[in-house]
Amino acid sequence: MLQSGPVTERTQPASSAPRATAPADVLVTRAFAPAAMEWLRRECTVHALYGAPDREALLREVGPRVRAAIGFGAVTAAMIDAMPGLEIIASTGVGYDHVDVDAALRRGIVVTNTPGVLDDAVADTALALLLAVERRIVAADRFVRAGRWAAHEAFPFTRHLGDLTLGILGLGRIGLAVARRAEPFGMRVAYHNRRPRADVPYAYHATPLALANACDVLMCIVPGGAETRHLVDEAVLRALGPQGTLVNIARGSVVDESALVRCLQDGTLGAAALDVYDREPHVPPELFALEQVVLAPHVGSATHSTRRAMADLAVRNVLARLAGEPVLTPIPECAELAR
Ligand code: NDP
């Protein structure tokens, strides 16, 4: 059984250890923490799809030998077809909407993700965005740098967090970590999931619209993919209203981005803080002109130790599968297959 915990020299087999069989071929779709990448390179033959001048040519060449794919880039049905011996797709994130799970399951390929190890970091970022947008921290910074304070202009008052209700769309692992951080600020917490939770004291709302009607700040932290596409549509944004704030740290696809831009431009929605977008790294340029909007470049989990823990877990999943052992964190859809 592979050990869990951070990768250290102690937990990694010596690179000089004799090998019984040839190292397995592994496709890396996006670079991840260098130390984990090094570990993988010691154990396997790594083919880097990211940055390859001709990705299709690389896949044609190495695809027939590849046994594992790891990273955060798209893994499409066509890519899966090009890798007839593929045994595992390991996402280096908790989200796996970039993987064609149906195509993988049809072929009996295990898909894994990295739940749990990033909850605190993402919840910290969510709170940072919430504070930044409500207390207008980024606008205040621009105000000072522009010399407006020195010119005796007054910066407008903002809202006290303790006066607000936070509506969490997706009270899962990360959503709960956000709720627990919001409570000490005095915020009331409400939420919407498909099913109410029995283990929380927060008010449940049966639809995103009902939640938006009941809160001041709507925080999105549901998974991406077809099921949650545009869960936050124009009606939800209108329900939040001119005093309402949207924070999206889930996936760009969860929010109707065109409606969001329109509602922010005409004041139908009060403010927004965004970490994720529909066509990353493209951000709708209309948002750049809006003072009441805070923008981050998809950095929810982007701390050194968190990204390292995520990458380590993904590598462990790959090595376990290649060794014929059960993977550590299969996605729920393939829990049976992963045994
Ligand atoms: P969990 O699976 O623990 O939680 C997801 C929650 O969403 C559950 O409470 C679930 O409840 C709810 N949910 C799922 N589908 C729906 C739906 N159709 N309608 C309403 N609610 C729904 O996931 P995590 O908390 O670990 O992660 C959530 C997501 O956060 C990830 O999938 C990822 O996309 C995003 N993320 C973003 C990051 C960033 O950098 N910005 C970093 C990490 C994650 P129920 O099943 O009852 O509906």
Side-chain angles (χ1 to χ4, degrees), residues 72 93-97 113-116 118-119 121-122 125 129 169-176 191-197 204 208 220-229 231 248-251 254 275-276 280 297-302 307 310 332:
F72 204 72
V94 69
Y96 47 92
D97 43 311
N113 64 345
T114 65
L118 71 179
D119 300 352
V122 181
T125 308
L129 286 171
L169 183 56
L171 193 73
R173 287 175 295 255
I174 300 170
L176 197 57
Y191 74 102
H192 165 72
N193 281 353
R194 286 166 299 185
R195 288 168 296 275
R197 292 179 65 136
Y204 175 74
C220 302
I221 188 65
V222 284
E227 244 198 86
T228 57
R229 185 171 164 74
L231 214 51
N248 187 11
I249 192 154
R251 285 289 181 266
V254 173
D275 186 46
V276 289
E280 296 176 7
H298 200 151
V299 289
S301 65
R307 285 288 171 86
M310 293 159 72

Side-chain angles (χ1 to χ4, degrees), residues 140-181:
D141 178 275
R142 283 194 291 260
F143 182 86
V144 172
R145 287 171 198 253
R148 293 171 64 184
W149 190 35
H152 302 287
E153 240 187 276
F155 191 74
F157 290 167
T158 58
R159 302 199 292 189
H160 176 59
L161 250 52
D163 294 335
L164 305 176
T165 297
L166 176 65
I168 300 182
L169 183 56
L171 193 73
R173 287 175 295 255
I174 300 170
L176 197 57
V178 172
R180 294 202 168 124
R181 280 160 173 73

